[in-house]
Amino acid sequence: MSPERQPKGIPAGGQFAATAHTEAGIVLEEQAGSRLELPDDGFLGRHARCPEPRPAEWVFGEDASVDAAVGTVMDGPLSRGVVNAQRREAFQAWHEWAMNRYLETKSPDYMQFAMGLRTGVSSLYERRLAHYEPGLDRFNQSGTPVYVADHAVQISGTKRASIEDREHWRKLLKLTPDEAWHRGHLAAGLIVSGAEGYWGLRGDPDAAALGPECTG
């Protein structure tokens, strides 16, 4: 990240810097390498006008399920209030996990998934990010730096994502440059909604990043 893109008062490392999470309510073991440690969350399908349990045919990462997943974000907790501390912490953990998995595996899909997480959360609160002017580079890896996503997560705890904000997130989802980025952008909305457990991302985080067809 170049120094000139760094606004005063916004830390470069932010809450996404590698840290130990000692108060997690759930620990998801990976077959190799990093663990994804997440706080407990009480999300239920009815919180987003969705059936409980999630229908078996709704699979995150499959084209046929995208509209249902988007609806979870559009009609869920983001439409009624701010993002609580557990969901902000969960977003931090997901981003850190994706970056660590990229370093461990060298698979570009993990990096693209992390970039999607950043654009996803930033798009939900972009109108309140005065220093964020992505222009045409939004979907380059330098287009949404860590500090921008960090600031958006901070704002999410004090400002509700309006219908216009959520429509902006949905519009940008259609413009993501590849499938892994698309999954990350979509996952960002689900995570800050508290719905990533409902959608099965917590049960198989590698499948969330790589796609359901890439893991066994």
Side-chain angles (χ1 to χ4, degrees):
M1 173 172 30
S2 60
E4 62 269 17
R5 289 180 65 95
Q6 176 69 27
K8 293 181 179 180
I10 303 296
Q15 66 180 358
F16 301 150
T19 57
H21 299 282
T22 59
E23 298 181 358
I26 298 174
V27 177
L28 302 178
E29 297 286 348
E30 301 305 315
Q31 292 182 351
S34 296
R35 296 185 306 173
L36 177 57
E37 302 183 6
L38 297 170
D40 289 318
D41 196 290
F43 178 91
L44 297 172
R46 59 182 173 79
H47 296 157
R49 303 176 186 174
C50 292
E52 190 73 45
R54 184 184 88 253
E57 63 270 22
W58 288 8
V59 178
F60 179 82
E62 292 188 352
D63 290 344
S65 300
V66 169
D67 288 345
V70 167
T72 307
V73 178
M74 297 298 292
D75 298 328
L78 293 184
S79 68
R80 294 187 290 278
V82 301
V83 177
N84 65 26
Q86 290 87 349
R87 293 167 187 177
R88 299 197 304 273
E89 182 182 344
F91 186 93
Q92 174 187 352
W94 272 100
H95 183 272
E96 182 179 324
W97 171 84
M99 295 300 293
N100 286 339
R101 289 296 279 155
Y102 169 71
L103 294 174
E104 291 161 2
T105 67
K106 308 305 179 187
S107 170
D109 280 353
Y110 286 107
M111 175 62 77
Q112 297 299 89
F113 181 80
M115 296 300 104
L117 290 174
R118 295 184 194 178
T119 60
V121 75
S122 298
S123 65
L124 284 166
Y125 301 95
E126 187 173 310
R127 292 191 303 164
R128 299 170 179 87
L129 297 172
H131 59 276
Y132 183 36
E133 297 179 2
L136 298 178
D137 69 351
R138 181 196 306 275
F139 293 121
N140 291 335
Q141 289 192 359
S142 61
T144 306
V146 171
Y147 70 81
V148 171
D150 186 15
H151 191 200
V153 171
Q154 294 175 29
I155 291 172
S156 75
T158 61
K159 303 292 184 181
R160 182 178 66 87
S162 68
I163 183 61
E164 291 83 3
D165 296 327
R166 286 173 278 128
E167 286 288 358
H168 182 59
W169 167 84
R170 175 160 58 179
K171 181 182 76 172
L172 292 182
L173 178 67
K174 299 177 181 179
L175 302 178
T176 48
D178 58 51
E179 292 183 0
W181 200 308
H182 183 275
R183 288 190 293 270
H185 191 101
L186 178 56
L190 294 173
I191 292 165
V192 294
S193 299
E196 87 275 23
Y198 176 84
W199 272 94
L201 279 66
R202 289 183 172 218
D204 195 346
D206 284 305
L210 302 178
E213 70 283 357
C214 295
T215 60

